[in-house]
Amino acid sequence: MNTEANHSRQVRQSPAFVPLPGSERGTEPGPSATPGLRAPAPDDQEIEINIYLRRRQPVPERLLPGGPPYGGPETGHGADPADIELVTRTLTRIYDFPAGTDGNGSVIAIIELGGGYGMADLQAYFPSLGILVPKVTSIGVDGAKNVPGADPQGADGEVLLDIEVAGALAPKAEIKVYFASNTDAGFIDAVAKAAHDSPTPAAISISWGQAEDQWTEQARTQMDEAFIDATLLGATVTAAAGDNGSADNVPDGKNHADFPASSPHAQACGGTSLLADPHSGRVASETVWNDSTHSATGGAVSDAFDVPAWQGHLSVATGTAPATALAGRGVPDVAAVADPRTGYKVRIDGSDMVIGGTSAVAPLWAALLARLSGASGHGSGLLQPALYASAPAGTTGAGFRDIVTGNNGTYLATAGWDACTGLGVPVGTALAGRIRGPVPAITAPGPDAP
């Protein structure tokens, strides 16, 4: 099986508030925050990065949940790269990353299934942010290796986005990039190698995935077991929730959760649209990211995994029915900015561009966790039991700013957890206070466990 990666394009124009990062692809307008209506899409779409190695062409929007295509005129509200403040000076303020932390002493593992990076890009990019180039190491798995320069608008974009977001937000963390073949075995082997490396990474960032039913049950099980190992060792797996809304690019009229984000042992990362002043960090608005069914945060209820105990008190809302109890593992758990109309300023194969997606949210959360790990001296492992324990239905608890406006096609943003942005976006200092102490290890099921 070839697995997809999740991100987007370069844009222009500069509003008073710059909507920060974005994701994958999408030229069609998409559902607005009100079910049945459509929000206008950007008119400047110069660079679009598609890393859909399995399905190169998007499924027609009329075949996906969320309604017919919008037929009105397109408008844009993007931002030129020159108008976007450096990520270390903006997102760390917007999401309140704890002062005095920088990831020193921590490792961020990044899983890649193609493409590569060249040191020339990193040596140009990080000094432009006013920081030293972090230690970045390429690790081949099962014969795969770092191959930069062959696919600047595809897999190279994913690789460099992941490295540059993680390195910019946790500049003293060591970054290890595990390259594997784009197969079930390659993907699983890369996760296992990262989890068992020494020292154990604080976070394992994954921006690759696709709908659950496009995986075999055996592959899902083996990947989930690799995640269990990682969490037992103290690593937190951050996984992109997908960039094709609640349908996850499957044309059967149903909703689909993206895997591996839907594993109950991965922290699933959804996406938002953010309007913020890049200089002060003041947030004007943050809503569910949804430009179209091909450019919207993933999020759904899993058909493959049962409801974890820590989500047993939750319900999920759609635009057509009252909220109902979760029937499976709910995705995502957390979120951050991922709107492709503007994005993270990155450098890819010698060119500066603005891209994003839930592909950027996974390394953002990995960077935050690396900073917390560096400060506490230990990893956090499986965080969800602690995060959900203090978030009764309809609330998010300390450490999160709730996102209550928008939808991702079928599912609505609501107070507390929802299948669009999970518990919300991070408030890093408050989150640090919640997970500062040692996190109890989870216990793997024994042979007689049900």
Side-chain angles (χ1 to χ4, degrees), residues 23-230:
S23 177
E24 178 222 346
R25 63 192 184 197
T27 58
E28 309 95 332
S32 70
T34 304
L37 299 181
R38 295 273 162 167
D43 54 7
D44 291 309
Q45 300 181 25
E46 297 179 0
I47 296 178
E48 184 137 341
I49 299 180
N50 299 321
I51 316 177
Y52 280 74
L53 304 181
R54 184 183 183 94
R55 183 184 292 108
R56 296 273 180 189
Q57 298 299 321
V59 174
E61 185 162 337
R62 61 184 171 78
L63 299 179
L64 299 171
Y70 173 86
E74 295 185 349
T75 60
H77 76 286
D80 187 270
D83 296 320
I84 296 180
E85 186 72 359
L86 305 178
V87 288
T88 51
R89 300 176 186 172
T90 303
L91 291 181
T92 54
R93 287 200 299 267
I94 289 170
Y95 293 137
D96 192 24
F97 280 29
T101 65
D102 54 17
N104 188 35
S106 294
V107 174
I108 298 172
I110 297 174
I111 307 300
E112 301 294 357
L113 306 181
Y117 67 91
M119 286 305 300
D121 283 328
L122 305 185
Q123 290 166 351
Y125 179 74
F126 289 105
S128 75
L129 302 181
I131 59 179
L132 297 176
V133 178
K135 182 179 180 182
V136 181
T137 305
S138 169
I139 300 169
V141 179
D142 299 341
K145 60 182 181 180
N146 175 24
V147 183
D151 193 9
Q153 295 192 35
D156 281 7
E158 182 57 63
V159 173
L160 283 154
L161 174 70
D162 292 344
I163 294 171
E164 290 172 358
V165 169
L169 296 174
K172 293 295 182 64
E174 180 181 355
I175 298 173
K176 294 183 177 180
V177 188
Y178 295 80
F179 288 94
S181 62
N182 194 343
T183 63
D184 291 349
F187 200 166
I188 294 165
D189 286 351
V191 172
K193 187 172 182 65
H196 290 275
D197 209 341
S198 182
T200 301
I204 300 174
S205 177
I206 299 174
S207 295
W208 300 73
Q210 58 187 22
E212 288 177 326
D213 57 4
Q214 294 174 348
W215 294 71
T216 65
E217 182 178 0
Q218 180 184 18
R220 288 195 305 264
T221 299
Q222 291 178 342
M223 182 70 82
D224 188 50
E225 289 173 348
F227 291 168
I228 291 174
D229 285 349

Side-chain angles (χ1 to χ4, degrees), residues 144-397:
K145 60 182 181 180
N146 175 24
V147 183
D151 193 9
Q153 295 192 35
D156 281 7
E158 182 57 63
V159 173
L160 283 154
L161 174 70
D162 292 344
I163 294 171
E164 290 172 358
V165 169
L169 296 174
K172 293 295 182 64
E174 180 181 355
I175 298 173
K176 294 183 177 180
V177 188
Y178 295 80
F179 288 94
S181 62
N182 194 343
T183 63
D184 291 349
F187 200 166
I188 294 165
D189 286 351
V191 172
K193 187 172 182 65
H196 290 275
D197 209 341
S198 182
T200 301
I204 300 174
S205 177
I206 299 174
S207 295
W208 300 73
Q210 58 187 22
E212 288 177 326
D213 57 4
Q214 294 174 348
W215 294 71
T216 65
E217 182 178 0
Q218 180 184 18
R220 288 195 305 264
T221 299
Q222 291 178 342
M223 182 70 82
D224 188 50
E225 289 173 348
F227 291 168
I228 291 174
D229 285 349
T231 59
L232 286 170
L233 292 166
T236 302
V237 179
T238 61
D243 300 330
N244 289 286
S246 58
D248 205 23
N249 210 32
V250 180
D252 61 0
K254 300 178 182 179
N255 302 298
H256 296 268
D258 200 80
F259 184 82
S262 65
S263 161
H265 300 99
Q267 182 170 294
C269 299
T272 68
S273 295
L274 172 66
L275 290 171
D277 186 321
H279 302 289
S280 69
R282 183 169 66 90
V283 175
S285 70
E286 193 162 13
T287 62
V288 177
W289 164 43
N290 187 348
D291 300 332
S292 78
T293 53
H294 295 305
S295 187
T297 183
V301 178
S302 174
D303 292 322
F305 295 96
D306 292 337
V307 183
W310 31 268
Q311 284 189 327
H313 60 295
L314 300 177
S315 59
V316 64
T318 68
T320 59
T324 57
L326 282 177
R329 184 321 195 214
V331 176
D333 298 303
V334 298
V337 62
D339 190 331
R341 292 176 293 185
T342 60
Y344 302 76
K345 183 180 179 181
V346 293
R347 186 174 182 86
I348 298 171
D349 293 347
S351 297
D352 292 326
M353 58 185 71
V354 176
I355 60 178
T358 59
S359 282
V361 181
L364 180 149
W365 268 92
L368 174 56
L369 294 174
R371 290 171 67 131
L372 300 183
S373 173
S376 66
H378 62 78
S380 299
L382 187 69
L383 272 174
Q384 289 100 315
L387 298 181
Y388 284 88
S390 59
T395 70
T396 60

